[in-house]
Amino acid sequence: MIVIGSGPSGRRAAVQSAKIGKSVLVVEKGRRVGGVSVHTGTIPSKTLRETVLNLSGWRERGFYGRSYRVKQDIGAADLMARLHKTLDHEVEVLEHQFARNAVKTARGEARFLDAHTIEITAEGGEVDKVTAAHVLIAVGTRPFRPDYVPFNGMSVFDSDEIVDLPRLPRSLAVIGAGVIGVEYASIFSALDVSVTLIEPRSTFLDFIDKELIEEFVHELRDRNVALRFGAAVTSITLDARERPVCKLADGRTVHADMLLFAAGRVGATDRLNLEAAGLAVDHRGRIGVEPKTLQTAVPHIYAAGDVIGFPSLASTSMEQGRVAACHAFGLEPPPPPEFFPYGIYSVPEMSTVGMSEEEVRKREIPYECGIARFRETSRGHIMGLNSGMMKMIFSVKTRRLLGVHIVGEGATELIHIGQAVLNLKGTIDYFIENTFNYPTLAEAYKIAGLDAWNRMTRV
Ligand SMILES: Cc1cc2nc3c(=O)[nH]c(=O)nc-3n(C[C@H](O)[C@H](O)[C@H](O)COP(=O)(O)OP(=O)(O)OC[C@H]3O[C@@H](n4cnc5c(N)ncnc54)[C@H](O)[C@@H]3O)c2cc1C
């Protein structure tokens, strides 16, 4: 098996193939293995978030007030120090995993010569040729960089560049209220940077339950994050001091010290010479696959991870890599679970699994909701939490859990209790009958369960 790309899907496919005794080569053009996930995406953004929350004293502000800070004058160097240590550790663990499992790696850029042959060009120009029975395309994506955006690496960045910030901005404009834009906008606002979030559509994160989004928007507004929704950006220029100026279609202008352009990513497929293998891509450079097996139109060539599009998460990419490897070598992969969670590492964080209230209504399922506020839990009092909520949705007919939606501290961890109950087809009785550790935020499950149960038994 040749795996092109060492991100989450490539890594998991390589290790899975090696575990069943197959010979695997991972080709990676980057300086170090790990992919977008380790070097510019998931891990850097989450490390940055953790550093910001720690140094700013964010989690303690409920008790000590908004001006509380663990470190005064936080600078870019403070953020970078922890980032580099974390990334080094991630790469070391990955390299060790490859070595332990006898996964071979080659550094260079891969391109197809034919459906079984890959040419690898190293940084110095040396060229090598390799062949394999199976190929996995796990090349991921890169930021979409339209011509009208004056990227300069100084004051205008894409989402890969922002992790190497030379200095902290006084004010930041973020274009694109997708997951990445929302995460960075809220992280910088937690550092007391004045943030403007710009989105041409009038809604955002539409796959998340509306009630959660309302709660989230309320928190952003409370910290003076300016939301400019419903108007496209018509131009971006630089002023005399190289600061970005964004003109919007509704006549408004946004001035900022820095700009993050986070409006989409495209598949990193343009240099793969896919035609030589008999493959084509869509307008965003993505490759189509058979969803159960992850085979492309050429059956021995698989594709996994962000290059195949939705849901474009490190978590789901890993599973896709494993499924592709299992299928290639004749192993039956377990059926994919019905529901997987989404984690949005904004400040506050959000996580969701299963159906939103809007989806339940669309399907005309008779339902009831239960709500718990974190400030109702003893753990919430101890932690000084003023915000955070959990919403659970149950079927009135079957009593089954249909969806869990959480905004607030620990949401991305807490969600897994709901995920387990959901995928095991559990009912409201699980939450009513079971004892939860006390004091914990997980107690919110009990509170929300009882809230729904009270309404359902009244019906
Ligand atoms: C800012 C940001 C935050 C994110 N946060 C989260 C999160 O919190 N949780 C989550 O689950 N997901 C998150 N994601 C998404 C996650 O990073 C991706 O889903 C995941 O990295 C996709 O993995 P992949 O296997 O497609 O490979 P990628 O991680 O995209 O890596 C692809 C690799 O292929 C290499 N490559 C490309 N072309 C070639 C070639 N021709 N030859 C050799 N090598 C090549 C690249 O150098 C790269 O190393 C985030 C993404 C971004 C950008």
Side-chain angles (χ1 to χ4, degrees):
M1 161 87 86
I2 294 173
V3 176
I4 309 176
S6 64
S9 62
R11 165 191 188 167
R12 192 55 77 85
V15 171
Q16 177 67 63
S17 305
K19 289 261 186 237
I20 50 176
K22 302 296 172 185
S23 162
V24 195
L25 173 72
V26 176
V27 187
E28 171 55 60
K29 72 179 166 76
R31 254 177 299 147
R32 299 169 87 189
V33 290
V36 168
S37 176
V38 170
H39 297 288
T40 53
T42 314
I43 305 298
S45 59
K46 266 79 266 184
T47 309
L48 195 72
R49 178 182 190 275
E50 197 61 27
T51 314
V52 166
L53 294 185
N54 286 337
L55 295 184
S56 68
W58 180 264
R59 292 188 174 104
E60 306 301 322
R61 287 186 184 180
F63 268 119
Y64 304 121
R66 286 186 180 207
S67 58
Y68 176 76
R69 281 193 164 215
V70 168
K71 186 178 190 298
Q72 301 298 327
D73 305 323
I74 302 165
D78 297 309
L79 304 183
M80 292 306 132
R82 185 168 178 153
L83 184 61
H84 291 142
K85 272 194 193 158
T86 310
L87 300 195
D88 282 348
H89 188 66
E90 281 277 322
V91 172
E92 197 185 302
V93 168
L94 179 49
E95 284 175 343
H96 184 228
Q97 193 184 27
F98 280 172
R100 234 178 29 232
N101 289 287
V103 171
K104 292 186 244 35
T105 54
R107 203 177 136 203
E109 188 170 26
R111 67 193 283 273
F112 282 90
L113 293 182
D114 61 47
H116 285 280
T117 315
I118 306 289
E119 181 183 79
I120 306 170
T121 308
E123 214 172 26
E126 310 85 42
V127 178
D128 205 357
K129 232 192 270 177
V130 284
T131 58
H134 303 283
V135 181
L136 173 71
I137 303 171
V139 294
T141 54
R142 59 163 183 271
F144 173 52
R145 288 171 64 106
D147 293 341
Y148 73 90
V149 183
F151 292 104
N152 59 10
M154 297 293 294
S155 57
V156 181
F157 301 90
D158 66 31
S159 62
D160 277 3
E161 296 169 328
I162 196 90
V163 294
D164 258 331
L165 212 56
R167 62 184 172 87
L168 279 190
R170 294 168 66 100
S171 58
L172 176 73
V174 178
I175 298 181
V179 175
I180 295 171
V182 166
E183 284 187 359
Y184 277 120
S186 63
I187 290 170
F188 278 96
S189 111
L191 270 180
D192 295 323
V193 171
S194 156
V195 175
T196 305
L197 181 58
I198 304 166
E199 167 62 47
R201 294 176 317 123
S202 49
T203 59
F204 72 121
L205 302 182
D206 295 331
F207 59 96
I208 296 188
D209 191 278
K210 289 264 172 310
E211 206 169 347
L212 225 64
I213 293 290
E214 279 166 21
E215 191 85 5
F216 180 68
V217 166
H218 173 77
E219 287 217 23
L220 289 187
R221 288 220 164 98
D222 194 45
R223 347 206 267 262
N224 292 326
V225 174
L227 303 177
R228 297 281 175 268
F229 284 8
V233 176
T234 52
S235 75
I236 306 170
T237 50
L238 297 176
D239 69 11
R241 290 167 60 192
E242 295 277 301
R243 288 174 312 192
V245 180
C246 309
K247 296 249 186 251
L248 308 186
D250 61 5
R252 299 178 91 170
T253 303
V254 176
H255 295 266
D257 192 18
M258 279 187 191
L259 170 72
L260 166 62
F261 185 83
R265 298 180 66 92
V266 290
T269 47
D270 52 334
R271 291 165 61 89
L272 278 175
N273 195 27
L274 286 173
E275 314 79 65
L279 291 172
V281 294
D282 71 7
H283 69 288
R284 283 255 172 176
R286 290 172 302 212
I287 301 174
V289 291
E290 208 286 300
K292 284 215 172 91
T293 64
L294 299 164
Q295 286 169 294
T296 63
V298 180
H300 72 274
I301 303 179
Y302 293 77
D306 284 10
V307 76
I308 65 169
F310 181 83
S312 295
L313 292 169
S315 52
T316 48
S317 298
M318 288 184 222
E319 288 312 301
Q320 290 166 358
R322 194 169 66 96
V323 168
C326 286
H327 188 267
F329 296 117
L331 292 184
E332 188 62 41
E338 207 175 337
F339 300 105
F340 60 85
Y342 262 99
I344 319 278
Y345 291 83
S346 42
V347 182
E349 63 192 68
M350 291 185 272
S351 199
T352 175
V353 67
M355 283 186 259
S356 64
E357 191 171 346
E358 295 75 45
E359 279 178 271
V360 173
R361 290 173 81 96
K362 214 192 287 164
R363 293 189 192 198
E364 298 182 355
I365 303 172
Y367 72 98
E368 196 46 87
C369 297
I371 302 269
R373 303 238 160 233
F374 286 1
R375 59 169 184 265
E376 293 174 86
T377 66
S378 299
R379 183 76 201 171
H381 302 157
I382 294 167
M383 294 168 76
L385 297 183
N386 300 320
S387 63
M389 73 165 237
M390 174 186 291
K391 169 174 174 177
M392 284 204 283
I393 307 175
F394 297 96
S395 158
V396 172
K397 264 196 203 148
T398 62
R399 301 167 73 78
R400 267 181 59 184
L401 178 63
L402 301 175
V404 182
H405 311 281
I406 312 174
V407 55
E409 187 63 30
T412 52
E413 298 282 356
L414 284 169
I415 199 73
H416 297 107
I417 299 174
Q419 180 195 3
V421 176
L422 198 66
N423 279 324
L424 292 170
K425 309 192 188 316
T427 65
I428 191 167
D429 303 313
Y430 177 86
F431 302 100
I432 308 299
E433 288 164 9
N434 279 281
T435 305
F436 284 71
N437 270 339
Y438 175 86
T440 56
L441 292 181
E443 204 201 337
Y445 276 105
K446 185 108 191 150
I447 299 170
L450 283 168
D451 185 40
W453 188 78
N454 284 332
R455 290 175 223 262
M456 282 161 72
T457 45
R458 241 183 272 148
V459 166

